Amino acid sequence: MRLKKEDLNKILALLAKNRELFVPGQVRGIKQFKLWDGETPELDGENTVLPPKDILFPKTEKMYAYKTGTETEISEIVDAPERVIFGIRACDMHSIECMDSVFIREGYEDSFYARRRAKSLIVAVACPGAGVNCFCESMGLDPDAAPGADIFLSGGGEFYGVTANTEKGETELKKWTQYLTDGDVPKGEAHCSLAPAMSPELSEKLTGLFDDDEFWQEVTEPCLQCGTCSFVCPTCYCFDINQSSVGDEGVAFRCWDSCMFSDYNQNAGGHNTRPTKKQRLRNRYLHKLAYFNERHGMELCVGCGRCINKCPAHLDIAEFIDKAAEVCHD
Amino acid sequence: MSDIQSALHKRARALLENGDVEYVIGWENARGENKTRPAFIRRAEDAERLVWNRWCVNSTAKYLLHDRWPKGKIAICARGCDTRAINRMLSDGQVKRENIYILGIPCAGVENQICRRCAHRNPLVYDELLGEPAEEKTDFDRFEKVKEMQAMTLEQRRQMWEDEFTKCIRCYACRNVCPACNCRECYADQYRTGWQGKQFNAVENRVYGLTRAYHVGDRCIECGECERVCPMDLPIMLQTGRMLMECNELFGQYECGLSDDETPALGTYNLNDADSFG
Ligand code: SF4
Ligand code: SF4
Ligand code: SF4
Ligand code: SF4
Ligand code: SF4
């Protein structure tokens, strides 16, 4: 099945019916996912500066409200609207699969994430063009495939190939029939700009570098320990739980956190388990490329290149992979 | 520029060979074209990794705070702005002069917008100067952008900052790169006191932006690093710039990081100060 690109806005109108539809576009000069305003979404060009993860895992999520006094009252806050995420690319679709593994599949099911996820329909689109720091192919992905998406719009040219990968996707496609025709669509031509030497073997070997102090000092020395890399990363999923009270009322919320921050690693009594940038950035790299794999069977980096684009110290995870590969294979 | 780079190689190598310094902070090439990153050279044979070219945009000085009690001296490549940053930290009692060996680098400007408004292209303090002094420029208005902002109506400004603070992701990159943000523990990290709420929203982001602006507004050396690093492109220097402009109006010619024992305007009590407000 295929869909004429011209008909895209009609499909978007269908998708927006009774649902919040998110598409890539500019908000205050920053490309990110935003509510569809009837305009043609910005599917071309580089990927969004901010990842779509905020839609499923908000940077601040209110969990429950409380009232203290002679009796404590607690009321749950449930905020999970029907949503469609349209126009995400292979890398970002895979990042959602990483989050699914964390929040739904492996062990505890996180109700906040699970509820939002269940109410979201995801329509992914073939990557129209890689950015200068993209390397998703090295992370085992294909820019023209998104097997995890409910619906995938593939290929290049004036048509999209249309496939449903899930039941939810199939049900949705039934509403599109008047716009769908038979026919083939050529494979998309986008390819990554970078090709770091990532491999499952390297992932296994990386933890062996843990105690190589000199290696980590060299790799991490420019780091400023900000939260930029974590906050622009589609897969970083750490959060902190806190509350905000006024008088005897308040809300408990959870909000994004980063292992690069000092208080992330602070324990009761004041001991900091990762006092320096060496330990913190080592944790970031190893979590992305080794630890996550041990538990979830995939890397926690999808090769989107966002952290490379934005790191103020010009650190580069693709360069790190090559450097580590050199050391590991010596 | 290449003259400076070869002088730098020679001097870095000698300093390390003689054991005069423990390491040299400068820049080296990063992957890809047109990109360098801060370098920390510990072995004489690595001296040639150092580069000096127009892609050397990162400030070097802040890294002195990553090693407050160094084992030996630290040699540091410092352009005009980096020496102002060093002066800032010396004035604030955060680093010791005897721990640093300054390799001064005259700079005609690098690939950074801020360099167009730079009045100190030559290092203000150094142990040795690499190369000939650069030509200083005065053909710009230091507060041009602040004045443009001041020309907006109150409502326009309110809306603009509302939008900007909505954009901020509170990554704290602006704080972590800033040489005037040299507190051992930032108020924002005093999470048990809770000055800074943890929610990510325009209100908390504004608390952060304005608090930082007030904390550094009379000590800002105008290096532009905060704006360079901001992943969300906030015009952060309009805040400190506004503070500095005000200091200039109230207390006369005021510029920071020009010497190593400055007292910040708002940290000084003087009976003769203007009290036009109130
Ligand atoms: S790697 Fe870069 S973006 Fe990440 S914490 Fe360090 S300086 Fe910030
Ligand atoms: S670590 Fe960097 S390249 Fe990998 S997914 Fe995160 S932002 Fe993208
Ligand atoms: S660098 Fe920019 S986005 Fe990050 S905290 Fe500062 S103003 Fe906010
Ligand atoms: S310009 Fe920004 S980074 Fe530089 S001293 Fe001023 S506030 Fe700090
Ligand atoms: S924001 Fe204020 S408390 Fe925090 S480092 Fe900067 S000057 Fe210090």
Side-chain angles (χ1 to χ4, degrees):
Chain A
M1 290 282 221
R2 59 185 198 173
L3 167 73
K4 241 201 171 101
K5 283 190 181 168
E6 280 170 26
D7 287 334
L8 198 58
N9 276 12
K10 291 174 194 142
I11 295 290
L12 291 173
L14 279 179
L15 288 170
K17 219 170 254 170
N18 305 322
R19 288 180 292 201
E20 292 178 5
L21 169 61
F22 287 85
V23 297
Q26 300 285 332
V27 184
R28 301 178 183 91
I30 302 280
K31 191 171 177 189
Q32 53 191 290
F33 284 83
K34 60 168 196 181
L35 280 174
W36 186 54
D37 53 11
E39 301 285 317
T40 306
E42 214 180 305
L43 296 173
D44 288 340
E46 289 209 12
N47 203 350
T48 53
V49 172
L50 291 170
K53 78 175 167 188
D54 192 33
I55 303 171
L56 294 168
F57 171 48
K59 34 185 198 279
T60 304
E61 175 130 57
K62 295 196 168 106
M63 301 163 75
Y64 59 88
Y66 54 82
K67 210 172 157 160
T68 53
T70 36
E71 291 214 358
T72 307
E73 284 168 39
I74 290 185
S75 43
E76 201 186 356
I77 299 176
V78 177
D79 178 20
E82 291 279 347
R83 281 177 169 170
V84 182
I85 313 174
F86 181 91
I88 74 171
R89 305 184 180 189
C91 54
D92 289 340
M93 186 58 236
H94 188 59
S95 77
I96 293 175
E97 292 172 276
C98 292
M99 288 201 294
D100 287 350
S101 193
V102 173
F103 289 126
I104 300 177
R105 276 201 307 277
E106 294 290 324
Y108 184 76
E109 180 177 301
D110 179 274
S111 58
F112 298 96
Y113 181 88
R115 272 195 297 252
R116 285 183 190 276
R117 183 71 171 93
K119 292 213 175 169
S120 298
L121 175 85
I122 302 179
V123 184
V125 177
C127 184
V132 285
N133 291 316
C134 290
F135 58 98
C136 74
E137 284 165 303
S138 305
M139 302 312 291
L141 304 179
D142 174 352
D144 190 18
D150 295 306
I151 296 173
F152 181 56
L153 305 183
S154 64
E158 51 185 303
F159 289 95
Y160 285 121
V162 182
T163 345
N165 296 320
T166 63
E167 231 170 88
K168 211 197 279 180
E170 269 163 30
T171 317
E172 187 65 32
L173 272 196
K174 290 195 184 117
K175 302 185 209 158
W176 298 18
T177 36
Q178 59 168 307
Y179 302 109
L180 299 180
T181 51
D182 284 334
D184 290 333
V185 170
K187 179 92 182 147
E189 275 163 18
H191 285 291
C192 292
S193 318
L194 303 180
M198 192 60 205
S199 65
E201 299 80 61
L202 179 62
S203 182
E204 265 173 46
K205 283 183 183 160
L206 271 174
T207 36
L209 280 179
F210 190 90
D211 288 318
D212 190 339
D213 269 3
E214 208 181 308
F215 173 80
W216 291 109
Q217 167 153 345
E218 212 177 308
V219 164
T220 64
E221 207 149 16
C223 175
L224 292 162
Q225 303 165 80
C226 63
T228 305
C229 50
S230 309
F231 290 171
V232 300
C233 178
T235 67
C236 274
Y237 58 81
C238 284
F239 60 84
D240 183 26
I241 294 182
N242 218 300
Q243 64 281 321
S244 151
S245 308
V246 180
D248 57 4
E249 282 178 47
V251 287
F253 60 87
R254 70 175 182 191
C255 55
W256 288 0
D257 204 350
S258 164
C259 58
M260 304 311 303
F261 291 154
S262 66
D263 61 343
Y264 179 98
N265 303 291
Q266 194 85 30
N267 285 230
H271 176 63
N272 200 304
T273 47
R274 296 191 195 108
T276 69
K277 56 189 169 184
K278 187 163 77 185
Q279 289 119 339
R280 293 186 201 158
L281 192 53
R282 175 180 64 191
N283 177 67
R284 175 173 166 79
Y285 283 157
L286 289 184
H287 186 207
K288 295 274 160 212
L289 304 170
Y291 306 152
F292 195 79
N293 214 336
E294 286 164 18
R295 175 145 177 209
H296 298 268
M298 53 188 160
E299 278 91 31
L300 188 63
C301 170
V302 299
C304 71
R306 287 183 176 98
C307 58
I308 310 178
N309 295 339
K310 290 297 181 190
C311 173
H314 299 165
L315 285 173
D316 179 330
I317 192 170
E319 209 180 328
F320 168 81
I321 292 171
D322 282 335
K323 200 178 164 77
E326 240 172 69
V327 177
C328 283
H329 295 129
D330 274 353
Chain B
M1 272 197 202
S2 64
D3 287 351
I4 293 180
Q5 184 172 297
S6 37
L8 172 59
H9 289 166
K10 215 183 291 159
R11 290 302 298 137
R13 176 179 276 275
L15 287 166
L16 289 164
E17 263 169 6
N18 300 338
D20 294 335
V21 302
E22 193 196 336
Y23 58 97
V24 183
I25 308 180
W27 305 270
E28 66 184 325
N29 283 326
R31 182 186 50 72
E33 287 161 38
N34 311 342
K35 203 163 157 188
T36 72
R37 76 166 65 95
F40 302 79
I41 303 295
R42 294 191 150 70
R43 286 180 297 249
E45 64 265 33
D46 290 338
E48 274 162 32
R49 269 171 44 194
L50 290 166
V51 299
W52 167 245
N53 56 44
R54 64 198 173 99
W55 307 107
C56 296
V57 294
N58 300 61
S59 160
T60 51
K62 185 72 190 265
Y63 291 103
L64 294 171
L65 295 186
H66 291 209
D67 193 5
R68 283 177 194 257
W69 298 277
K71 288 196 222 79
K73 268 191 192 242
I74 305 172
I76 180 165
C77 296
R79 308 156 294 178
C81 51
D82 300 313
T83 58
R84 288 177 76 186
I86 293 170
N87 276 338
R88 168 80 283 133
M89 294 187 285
L90 288 168
S91 293
D92 294 345
Q94 298 297 323
V95 290
K96 288 207 173 95
R97 183 66 179 89
E98 62 265 30
N99 287 341
I100 321 167
Y101 187 89
I102 305 172
L103 295 164
I105 295 189
C107 170
V110 293
E111 287 295 319
N112 187 338
Q113 286 296 318
I114 190 74
C115 299
R116 291 206 213 153
R117 283 183 282 142
C118 172
H120 303 277
R121 290 161 187 265
N122 291 293
L124 295 154
V125 50
Y126 50 83
D127 292 289
E128 55 184 287
L129 191 65
L130 305 176
E132 295 301 313
E135 193 191 328
E136 295 289 3
K137 293 237 156 68
T138 48
D139 57 342
F140 58 87
D141 178 357
R142 188 176 158 207
F143 297 121
E144 184 189 341
K145 299 229 165 133
V146 182
K147 287 175 189 160
E148 279 167 22
M149 170 177 77
Q150 292 306 98
M152 293 162 75
T153 66
L154 195 61
E155 175 51 28
Q156 284 168 331
R157 267 182 285 161
R158 195 201 58 73
Q159 189 57 52
M160 169 190 137
W161 285 109
E162 179 73 24
D163 285 353
E164 294 298 340
F165 286 127
T166 306
K167 247 164 59 176
C168 169
I169 55 172
R170 264 204 354 271
C171 62
Y172 297 126
C174 50
R175 172 194 69 181
N176 290 14
V177 82
C178 171
C181 270
N182 52 38
C183 299
R184 272 194 215 173
E185 188 179 35
C186 174
Y187 90 94
D189 289 340
Q190 293 176 330
Y191 58 95
R192 292 179 72 174
T193 319
W195 308 109
Q196 177 63 59
K198 286 211 150 198
Q199 292 185 70
F200 293 100
N201 55 35
V203 175
E204 294 298 354
N205 298 349
R206 187 187 300 120
V207 170
Y208 167 67
L210 294 184
T211 307
R212 203 189 78 86
Y214 272 93
H215 286 188
V216 301
D218 62 340
R219 293 180 303 114
C220 165
I221 58 144
E222 298 162 83
C223 61
E225 279 294 90
C226 50
E227 279 195 14
R228 177 186 68 80
V229 303
C230 178
M232 296 295 113
D233 300 335
L234 267 73
I236 307 172
M237 281 182 79
L238 287 177
Q239 302 168 349
T240 45
R242 175 74 209 277
M243 297 273 294
L244 287 170
M245 197 167 97
E246 205 99 341
C247 286
N248 271 269
E249 282 162 12
L250 289 170
F251 310 114
Q253 166 63 23
Y254 190 78
E255 219 176 345
C256 300
L258 303 188
S259 90
D260 61 10
D261 68 346
E262 287 167 348
T263 325
L266 304 183
T268 319
Y269 180 70
N270 188 334
L271 267 182
N272 300 321
D273 276 350
D275 58 358
S276 42
F277 47 87

